[in-house]
Structure formats: structure tokens, C-alpha cells
Amino acid sequence: MHLAYPAVLAVLLFCVGLYGVLARRNAILVLMSVELMLNAVNLNLVAFDVWLRDTLHAGQALTLFTITIAAAEIGIGLSIVLLVHRNRGTADVDKLTDLTDTGTEPGFDSGSASMAPTTDNSVESATDQALPAGGQTA
Amino acid sequence: MNLAVASHPGFLSPTGVEITFVLVGLITLGAALVTVTTKQLVHAALWLVVALGGLAVEYLLLTAEFIAWVQVLIYVGSVVVLLLFGLMMTKAPIGRSPDADSDNRWTALAVAVLAAATLVWVVVDAFRSTWVSLGGAAQGSTEVTGEFLFRQWVLPFEALSVLLLAALVGAIVLSRRDSRER
């Protein structure tokens, strides 16, 4: 088999994942795109391992390790997304702007302004908003 | 590798494996494109199943059988289920959501197309005359995988099991609701 076929497929999959990471708004869709990028790397590793006929089979071993690390990463990532959704009422990555440099002095105004876009979703998110305040005072 | 080049008929007469690889690759790429462009969040996760399953078939065509089945088990079996659970628990809207893409999607498209053009050019230029010989014994059958994994890669394997345990504990600690704060 021509080695260019798996290599080009891996490149295109990686760039599709790159587009998804940059363009998606929902954090879980961003995680899906990260999975696509990791899979492109895995395909490259397997193709080069089969090409080189390595006696250590480093490519396939690293593919197995990458799959394992990806499983751990998706577990931790999803639990972080769930935590953010529980505290903020949204999982959209471009609404999490607490660390934005607004150009003003850090104070009460910038804090409330950054929290304002998260409160326009629904009644349920309003109840979710009330949770961290209670948690912080307790 | 020079032997493989000499014995290969050439670029313009593809073998059956190559034709199958390209067809499955087109399906995989199309499913990946739908995954990152669809407006329906649950459909994105389901198209991801098609893309990852297509990649498992590609591993089979590259004679890496064990990795193909691990791909089916881990990715299609558990990662996509985790993603679907995540979509469900973050109250993802069923149906079309108009704000699935952020405002910088044209910048993202430009970056992705530029990266794809550059990388395809480099890769095709680098591996223009390189062939993979797929004959002989399978490179990644379960027997071969077991031998190299437990002869040469035992220490990283055990370290990874510790990492998985840490990730498991971390995920539980992160997603648990603390009853004392209620």
C-alpha cells in the first residue's frame, strides 16, 4: 500500500478536528473534535509502525497508550464540563469569560459583567446559578 | 523498503487493499466533516461513531487487528457513550441549535484549510515513493501485540494503569456533589 494514503487521511482528519476545536461553541463538541485529532495521530502511528516493521512495535504500543490516555482525558474533561455546567448553567466555551482582560481595574463591576451573559438561559440555569453562591458562603 | 518499492506495480495501478482503504477513508472523512459541522449535537456524537468505526476498519486493513478491536471497544463502545451522557447531563438541546458554531468559524476554516494544504503538500512530497508491504504475517495480531506489550513495554503499561486509576478517582471527585455544602 502506498504510504501516502494513510498519511494524507491522517492529515485531513487532523485538520477536520482542528476546525472543530476552533469553531465549535459547546465544550462537549470541542472534546469530540479533540478525539478526532487524537485518532488522526493514532492512524499515523499505526501506518508508520507497519511500514517500518519495527521489532519493538513502538508505534502500535504508543497507539494503545494514546487510546488509554484519551479515555482518561475524556473522563476528566467531561467531569470538568459537567462541573462548569452545574456552576454556571452553560457549557459554551465562549461564555466562560471570567479571565477576560477587560481593560478595567478588577473589581465588582467586571465580575458582575462577566457573569451577566450566563443568566439569560432559562429558569433552571438560574437555580444552578444560585448553587455556587451558597457553596462559597458555607 | 527498497524491496517493497521494486516489487510494487506503481502508483497508477492500485491494489484492492488500496481501493478499499481510500473508499473507507472517504467515508471516515465525510463522517468527521459532518461531526464538526452539524447543528444537531446528538447527531454529531452519532456521526463520530461512523468516523471512529471507519478508522477501526483502516487499522484492520493495515493488519493491526488488536488495535482495531481496541478502537471499537474503547472509542465506539465507551468514549461515545460517555460523550452522549455528557450531552444529556448538560441539557443539550434536541434538534437544531443555531449557535452550535461560534463567531470565529471563518477564521477556524481558514486556519484548518491552510494547515491541511501545507501538511498534505509536505506529506505527499515526503512519502511519494514509499510503499508499505502488507504481505506476510499480520503486524498487529493479538499474539504479536501481547508479546511486544508484555516483553518490552511492561513498565509504561503499568504506569498507564496507575494513570487510569488516578483519572478514575479524579473524575469521581470532580463530578461528585458534596452533601455538606447543601
Side-chain angles (χ1 to χ4, degrees), chain B residues 45-57:
Chain B
L46 296 179
W47 279 106
L48 191 66
V49 173
V50 179
L52 299 178
L55 267 173
V57 177

Side-chain angles (χ1 to χ4, degrees), chain A residues 1-9 11-26 28-29 31-33 35-36 38-43 46-76 78-83 85-86 91-92 94-95 124 128 131 134-136 138, chain B residues 1 11 17-18 21-22 25 28-29 32-33 35-38 41 44-45 48 51-52 55 58-59 62-64 66-67 70-71 74-75 79 82-83 86-87 89-91 99-105 108-109 111-112 115-116 119-120 123-124 127-128 130-135 139-140 144-145 148-149 152-153 156-157 160 163-164 167 170-171 174-177 181-182:
Chain A
M1 183 189 292
H2 207 289
L3 185 61
Y5 291 139
V8 168
L9 177 64
V11 162
L12 292 178
L13 270 180
F14 185 86
C15 292
V16 167
L18 182 66
Y19 168 78
V21 167
L22 293 176
R24 285 302 205 178
R25 181 170 276 168
N26 193 312
I28 295 180
L29 292 178
L31 282 177
M32 285 185 205
S33 309
E35 292 302 311
L36 277 178
L38 283 170
N39 270 285
V41 176
N42 285 346
L43 181 62
V46 170
F48 279 89
D49 182 85
V50 174
W51 170 48
L52 293 172
R53 294 193 170 264
D54 185 13
T55 50
L56 280 179
H57 285 290
Q60 294 191 37
L62 280 177
T63 305
L64 287 174
F65 296 161
T66 314
I67 290 175
T68 316
I69 292 176
E73 168 253 331
I74 203 76
I76 295 284
L78 273 179
S79 60
I80 290 175
V81 170
L82 283 185
L83 200 64
H85 180 265
R86 195 187 296 159
D92 292 352
D94 54 355
K95 287 183 183 167
E124 290 162 345
D128 282 341
L131 289 180
Q136 284 162 4
Chain B
M1 268 53 76
F11 185 66
V17 176
E18 285 178 334
F21 191 93
V22 170
T28 306
L29 200 60
L33 274 174
T35 302
V36 298
T37 52
T38 181
L41 305 186
L48 191 66
L52 299 178
L55 267 173
E58 306 281 43
Y59 292 150
L62 286 169
T63 69
F66 185 74
I67 291 180
V70 165
Q71 169 94 0
I74 306 281
Y75 272 113
V79 166
L82 260 182
L83 285 169
L87 282 177
M89 293 177 78
T90 55
K91 303 192 190 73
D99 58 346
D101 290 338
S102 66
D103 298 331
N104 52 8
R105 77 176 68 107
L109 188 65
V111 169
L119 283 173
V120 164
V123 161
V124 168
F127 303 112
R128 187 185 295 143
T130 311
W131 275 276
V132 182
S133 60
L134 292 176
Q139 293 284 297
V144 176
T145 307
F148 73 73
L149 202 58
Q152 277 99 16
W153 297 92
F157 182 83
L160 263 188
L163 179 127
L164 263 187
L174 275 178
S175 58
R176 181 175 73 119
R177 283 177 191 269
E181 290 186 0
R182 290 308 175 87

